[in-house]
Amino acid sequence: MAAAAGLAAPPPTSRISSFPRAFSTVLKDLKYADTHEWVKVEGDSATIGVTDHAQDHLGDVVYVELPEVGSTVSQGTNFGAVESVKATSDINAPVSGEIIQVNDELSEKPGFINGSPYEKGWIIKVKISDPSELNSLMDDEKYKKFCEEEDGKH
């Protein structure tokens, strides 16, 4: 009789899946745009990618549309796209500048955006043309709160 009672218990996976996912990783020392791109400033250049929060909502990334080195980007405008199994999403520039490097590895390994969004999954590096634009971006604490509020609306 005890075995029958054990069979009636829900499988462990159903209990685990009822809890919300832990909050996405947000790194200190980065700046964040409300369109879920991150910026790492190093001198007069910035490395840009999509946040862990964004990649989590996108699902498995299968293709990344990359811009050309030497082209310029303007804050808030589209410079590429990330295609996942769920959707295609534009990537917007959190700062303006000239593209000095593109992560060509993403052409062969777009999954770096899922597995390592802040390291191997970076997208472009730009020479910042207007450092004051960084003031309009969020720090890690503001971005965490922004994501929590945004997720609460869905």
Side-chain angles (χ1 to χ4, degrees), residues 47-82:
T47 303
I48 298 169
V50 296
T51 65
D52 188 38
H53 182 82
Q55 73 77 25
D56 183 54
H57 284 273
L58 281 168
D60 292 338
V61 174
V62 295
Y63 177 75
V64 182
E65 178 188 317
L66 299 168
E68 295 290 322
V69 171
S71 58
T72 58
V73 293
S74 298
Q75 186 179 45
T77 61
N78 169 284
F79 69 81
V82 175

Side-chain angles (χ1 to χ4, degrees), residues 1 23 26 30 36 51 70-71 75 78 80 91 94 96 110 113 117-118 122-124 126 132 135 137 146 148 150:
M1 192 75 164
F23 188 76
V26 175
L30 299 182
H36 303 287
T51 65
S71 58
Q75 186 179 45
N78 169 284
I91 310 166
S96 301
I113 287 182
Y118 300 112
W122 65 273
I123 299 171
I124 61 171
V126 301
S132 68
N135 298 329
L137 302 175
F146 174 80
E148 289 168 359
E150 190 176 73

